[in-house]
Amino acid sequence: MKMEFPLTYGLRKTGLPLILTSGKLKNVCFLIDTGSTHNSIFSFVYDHFKDEFQIQEEMQKTMGIEGNYQECQTVEATFNFEGTDYTSTFMIMDATSAMAQVQEETGIQIHGILGIQFLLEHKWIIDFEKRTVSCP
């Protein structure tokens, strides 16, 4: 059975495809970013929910939102979206200034990014015409 969820709220408010989580990582707002190869959780969110993440041994180097390369700690996290738990790895990134600007312009605080890694792992499909995300 395929589940389909609208992305209209985030698109209407910010012009961005956003989802809001529940469960232990309650009210975490993720940007679905098809241009991002990895998932990211922002450092201020990691600091707040530290006990909900499992630190992985590997460090990864990536280009941050501001265009600077940074070495990032990798963590594993589980969140709930629409009644289903999803587990994936995330890089902890400092994106404070970029996210402050988004929040100032839209009134919405974004806490992390779900990239291609997450979409492939969980078989999420984005339908840009219908403005939905589908998952099996």
Side-chain angles (χ1 to χ4, degrees):
M1 184 167 136
K2 191 184 217 183
M3 304 293 286
E4 205 172 77
F5 302 100
L7 296 172
T8 50
Y9 176 77
L11 290 168
R12 217 177 20 242
K13 290 283 278 179
T14 65
L16 302 170
L18 304 173
I19 67 158
L20 197 61
T21 66
S22 58
K24 291 180 180 181
L25 294 178
K26 187 176 182 180
N27 295 326
V28 173
C29 181
F30 282 109
L31 167 66
I32 299 172
D33 184 357
T34 59
S36 179
T37 55
H38 294 85
N39 306 317
S40 303
I41 195 83
F42 300 137
S43 54
F44 67 93
V45 178
Y46 173 76
D47 291 341
H48 184 73
F49 288 108
K50 228 177 228 179
D51 294 341
E52 302 305 324
F53 295 97
Q54 283 188 327
I55 294 177
Q56 306 295 293
E57 287 186 28
E58 65 195 70
M59 297 284 283
Q60 292 190 12
K61 194 166 189 166
T62 188
M63 184 180 291
I65 291 174
E66 289 92 4
N68 303 321
Y69 279 98
Q70 51 185 288
E71 192 167 31
C72 302
Q73 178 66 57
T74 305
V75 295
E76 183 178 86
T78 300
F79 65 87
N80 188 287
F81 175 67
E82 299 292 336
T84 302
D85 285 342
Y86 296 95
T87 301
S88 194
T89 55
F90 296 82
M91 291 185 296
I92 302 170
M93 295 181 73
D94 181 11
T96 307
S97 59
M99 290 302 103
Q101 184 175 348
V102 171
Q103 184 175 353
E104 185 179 311
E105 291 175 11
T106 66
I108 303 288
Q109 186 177 61
I110 297 173
H111 303 109
I113 294 171
L114 298 178
I116 292 297
Q117 171 193 351
F118 181 87
L119 299 174
L120 290 173
E121 284 174 346
H122 298 286
K123 298 176 176 59
W124 279 26
I125 298 168
I126 300 172
D127 186 326
F128 291 102
E129 190 173 309
K130 294 196 301 190
R131 298 179 180 202
T132 60
V133 63
S134 303
C135 33

